Amino acid sequence: MTARAVLAHAVVATLLLAGAAEATARGPVDERRHLDLVASAQPSDQRRDDRDVVVDEVVVREGDLKADVMATTVTTCHGCRGESAVLQVIYVPGPAAARFDNVASAWTQDCWDCRATALAVQVIVIGPGTRARPTNRALSVGASCATCVTATAAFQVVAQVDAVGPLPDPALAEITGWFEAQAAALRDAVVAPPAPRRAERAATRSLGDLRRVVVRALDGRTRSARVSVTR
């Protein structure tokens, strides 16, 4: 592995650990709930196409909460393809102070005709007593890479309901289908990159579709709905 590739991996590791370090400083471990969910694609000369998809649904019933979701892809080999995608559905029925961080990160370096995509989606359902602090970010980096292409998207929806319960199976199926469609859109974006404004408009429409599915299924209201894309 080259020195620049090592640097790329070190930067991604720093992104992953930064949130955890801040949470640890805020209180004892036994008084907090930390949920980390990561999809990571790292193609190499030995495995030129790498794809990692992670989907999780979880209920947090007590205590304060910090939930970190990250899709990260690092591509540093010629002609390699990397794709990471993560979907977290999280329910917080009890009163809590909750922080939700959602990040999509793609990095290409020192390679020709290489591609990297990352998709991070976080769907959060909270009760009326939960104090939520959501953040949502997408990042793309290309270094010493004239013909490489990256595309990332981060979607985050926080819905509030009077009584927190699980999403019905048809709604979960609809969200899963939506998630797969967004991953496919990113794959298309690195083959034929759309104009930036067109990509942003499409992402905003997709966010609206996701928000409507969640709110309609639970008869709730939107506390936060965010999208960030890079191409």
Side-chain angles (χ1 to χ4, degrees), residues 46-136:
Q46 291 72 37
R47 185 175 57 190
R48 306 185 72 82
D49 294 289
D50 192 23
R51 182 172 185 257
D52 189 25
V53 179
V54 179
V55 177
D56 189 38
E57 184 181 19
V58 62
V59 179
V60 179
R61 299 192 179 279
E62 59 184 15
D64 291 345
L65 167 68
K66 187 174 190 300
D68 295 310
V69 172
M70 175 172 255
T72 177
T73 302
V74 177
T75 304
T76 59
C77 50
H78 300 315
C80 289
R81 307 288 184 265
E83 177 185 348
S84 61
V86 58
L87 167 63
Q88 182 187 59
V89 180
I90 183 169
Y91 307 100
V92 188
R99 176 172 172 174
F100 306 99
D101 292 334
N102 187 57
V103 181
S105 171
W107 182 298
T108 54
Q109 184 166 347
D110 287 337
C111 54
W112 290 86
D113 191 29
C114 49
R115 300 172 185 171
T117 67
L119 171 65
V121 180
Q122 200 174 34
V123 175
I124 303 150
V125 181
I126 62 173
T130 296
R131 302 183 303 279
R133 291 191 297 154
T135 59
N136 186 70

Side-chain angles (χ1 to χ4, degrees), residues 22 31 60 69 74-75 85 126 129 141 152-154 160-161 178 196 198 214:
E22 180 177 347
E31 292 181 4
V60 179
V69 172
V74 177
T75 304
I126 62 173
V141 178
T152 67
Q160 185 177 40
V161 297
W178 176 94
R198 181 180 177 185
V214 177

Side-chain angles (χ1 to χ4, degrees), residues 137-163:
R137 301 176 299 281
L139 171 69
S140 290
V141 178
S144 301
C145 190
T147 60
C148 55
V149 185
T150 61
T152 67
F155 295 87
Q156 186 185 56
V157 172
V158 182
Q160 185 177 40
V161 297
D162 293 333

